[in-house]
Amino acid sequence: MITKVYDVIVIGAGPAGTASASFLQERGLKTFIIEKSIFPRDKVCGEFISPAAWKIFDHLGIRKAISQSGYHVIERAVLYAPSGKTLEISFGAEHALGLSRASLDLLLLNHAKERGAEVQEGVLMTGFERENNLWHVKTAPQKLKVGESFIAKNLVLATGREALKNQPKGGQRMLGVKAHYRGAQNLKNALELFFFKEGYGGLVQIEKGLVNACFLLNMEHVPVEKISQSEDELMDWVFRRHPMLTEKMSKAQRVGDLKVTAPFSFGLKVKGSDQDHLFYVGDSLGVIDPFLGDGITLGLEFAFLLNQSFENGNYVSTIHKKLGRRFLFSRAIRFLSHHSGMIDVVVRMLSKHEKTTRSLYRFAHGMSEGQS
């Protein structure tokens, strides 16, 4: 029996994985996606897509599909400091989007299929090894089927962020929680970010009249009994951390389940090898701080840069050259986010300097001066 050898196997069908598959399939490379979940599926995510994503959507050829997805137009961001002081950032001509991961990820997966990529959902990858210059990927048994092995010349890992197994020295254990709601008050087409002693998070309108509430909580400041309470009691406690958040969510009703993610680490890692044809994309390579609202767009950028550098064999160096400073910037802002007094000072200062605020926003999102 002749074993089929793919040009590329992609593990994981989040935005970075499926966008990578679409780009590489367009190059004429036979691509195979392995995904452990069955789509559509929900994820812990802010579900905010920055204006910079439109450029990648255009390169993928999906602007029309995105425009027909039912997303909510997001025109600005409003930051609420612990003191209640606010900072507003207008996105300009090219708006941002509020769209659930269930909808976005399914759209991107279907696009990869349309481009010719093969896909297997509900299949768990259990390991991979390189032998005779080829990657051998093993999968777990599924129902009545035995585990299989697949072979490819190139392996792209888009397996998402890793759980934090050991707390780093001096670091915080941050727990992510997310749920959809109906009936939030006075959002007015804005991404609303709230900072408080126990963490930070935001509200964003998405499709079908829903609002996504997603927060990152510092476990050092969350009472243990809150974690063991009901989903609504936990989220009600979160909503009471900031007066403006309390006001906006006072009449909201949860729709669907609460999603929780294990503590995880931030930063851009040095992983993968162009020489060995092993590439990490998305959160498996770097997790940027959620308050920048750039996670989904960054995943798409990883895919775009992989496609650009694929033939030159310089993906790893390109990633660190193009994105390294943005991760350093997010690290600095992360430090501020854990100090309420500092956040108040920064918000107060930036609220008086709109031009500086816009420049910092563009830098954080990798946007040139000419972009919105």
Side-chain angles (χ1 to χ4, degrees):
M1 179 179 177
I2 299 176
T3 302
K4 185 174 183 178
V5 178
Y6 294 92
D7 293 310
V8 184
I9 289 178
V10 178
I11 309 297
T18 50
S20 295
S22 291
F23 280 132
L24 297 177
Q25 186 70 34
E26 278 290 298
R27 281 183 169 273
L29 301 175
K30 190 56 185 173
T31 305
F32 178 42
I33 302 173
I34 298 175
E35 165 58 42
K36 65 182 179 181
S37 300
I38 302 292
F39 279 38
R41 56 93 177 92
D42 203 2
K43 294 275 287 185
V44 174
C45 179
E47 300 185 332
F48 168 82
I49 307 171
S50 72
W54 285 109
K55 178 182 70 174
I56 312 295
F57 291 153
D58 285 337
H59 283 293
L60 285 168
I62 60 172
R63 177 179 279 260
K64 182 178 180 181
I66 291 291
S67 297
Q68 295 174 344
S69 66
Y71 74 84
H72 194 93
V73 172
I74 307 298
E75 299 171 338
R76 61 198 173 100
V78 182
L79 282 66
Y80 295 89
S83 65
K85 182 68 178 177
T86 62
L87 173 66
E88 184 171 322
I89 305 171
S90 173
F91 296 145
E94 193 81 283
H95 59 261
L97 306 81
L99 185 64
S100 70
R101 283 293 299 274
S103 295
L104 174 67
D105 290 9
L106 181 61
L107 186 155
L108 289 168
L109 182 62
N110 286 338
H111 178 71
K113 291 178 181 178
E114 291 168 2
R115 287 294 178 269
E118 293 184 29
V119 177
Q120 278 200 18
E121 299 176 58
V123 176
L124 178 65
M125 184 269 291
T126 57
F128 56 89
E129 59 183 1
R130 189 160 175 80
E131 182 180 331
N132 298 325
N133 294 322
L134 293 173
W135 286 105
H136 295 253
V137 177
K138 297 179 181 179
T139 61
Q142 300 293 319
K143 296 182 179 178
L144 299 179
K145 294 177 61 177
V146 298
E148 297 181 83
S149 182
F150 302 94
I151 302 174
K153 300 172 185 176
N154 301 275
L155 181 60
V156 176
L157 293 177
T159 49
R161 52 184 171 252
E162 297 177 358
L164 188 60
K165 297 176 182 177
N166 298 303
Q167 182 174 348
K169 186 176 181 180
Q172 290 89 11
R173 289 177 59 83
M174 305 298 288
L175 177 73
V177 295
K178 166 262 184 83
H180 290 163
Y181 288 83
R182 195 179 300 278
Q185 306 295 305
N186 301 318
L187 296 187
K188 298 179 180 178
N189 299 333
L191 166 66
E192 309 225 352
L193 294 170
F194 304 86
F195 292 86
F196 40 85
K197 184 184 75 171
E198 296 85 358
Y200 63 86
L203 306 175
V204 66
Q205 293 159 286
I206 58 172
E207 71 271 24
K208 299 179 181 178
L210 298 177
V211 169
N212 184 44
C214 189
F215 293 86
L216 206 57
L217 306 175
N218 188 336
M219 296 302 293
E220 294 180 4
H221 299 300
V222 179
V224 176
E225 65 271 14
K226 297 299 178 184
I227 302 301
S228 60
Q229 288 180 336
S230 73
E231 297 176 345
D232 288 328
E233 287 176 319
L234 172 61
M235 293 305 288
D236 286 346
W237 178 84
V238 172
F239 297 152
R240 292 196 301 271
R241 299 308 92 198
H242 195 290
M244 288 302 299
L245 181 57
T246 304
E247 178 181 319
K248 291 176 182 292
M249 298 302 288
S250 62
K251 299 179 181 179
Q253 297 293 319
R254 181 166 56 87
V255 178
D257 296 331
L258 173 72
K259 298 293 181 181
V260 180
T261 185
F264 53 89
S265 60
F266 299 102
L268 185 61
K269 304 175 180 67
V270 179
K271 298 168 69 176
S273 168
D274 291 285
Q275 290 71 32
D276 289 335
H277 302 274
L278 174 63
F279 309 99
Y280 289 79
V281 296
D283 286 352
S284 66
L285 182 59
V287 178
I288 204 159
D289 297 80
F291 51 72
L292 291 178
D294 208 32
I296 293 174
T297 303
L298 194 65
L300 298 171
E301 285 188 74
F302 277 118
F304 178 71
L305 292 174
L306 174 61
N307 182 49
Q308 280 196 320
S309 59
F310 193 80
E311 290 183 352
N312 297 328
N314 61 346
Y315 170 68
V316 174
S317 60
T318 297
I319 286 294
H320 285 266
K321 180 180 179 181
K322 296 282 189 180
L323 304 178
R325 290 195 301 165
R326 285 158 65 184
F327 275 88
L328 288 175
F329 178 77
S330 76
R331 182 178 180 181
I333 302 299
R334 185 192 324 142
F335 174 80
L336 294 177
S337 74
H338 295 300
H339 298 80
S340 300
M342 286 182 158
I343 286 289
D344 282 323
V345 171
V346 171
V347 167
R348 189 177 300 112
M349 290 176 57
L350 290 179
S351 64
K352 300 175 183 178
H353 301 280
E354 182 179 352
K355 187 175 180 180
T356 300
T357 301
R358 290 279 297 164
S359 295
L360 288 173
Y361 167 78
R362 285 192 292 266
F363 174 77
H365 292 267
M367 301 169 71
S368 65
E369 290 295 321
Q371 286 181 273
S372 302

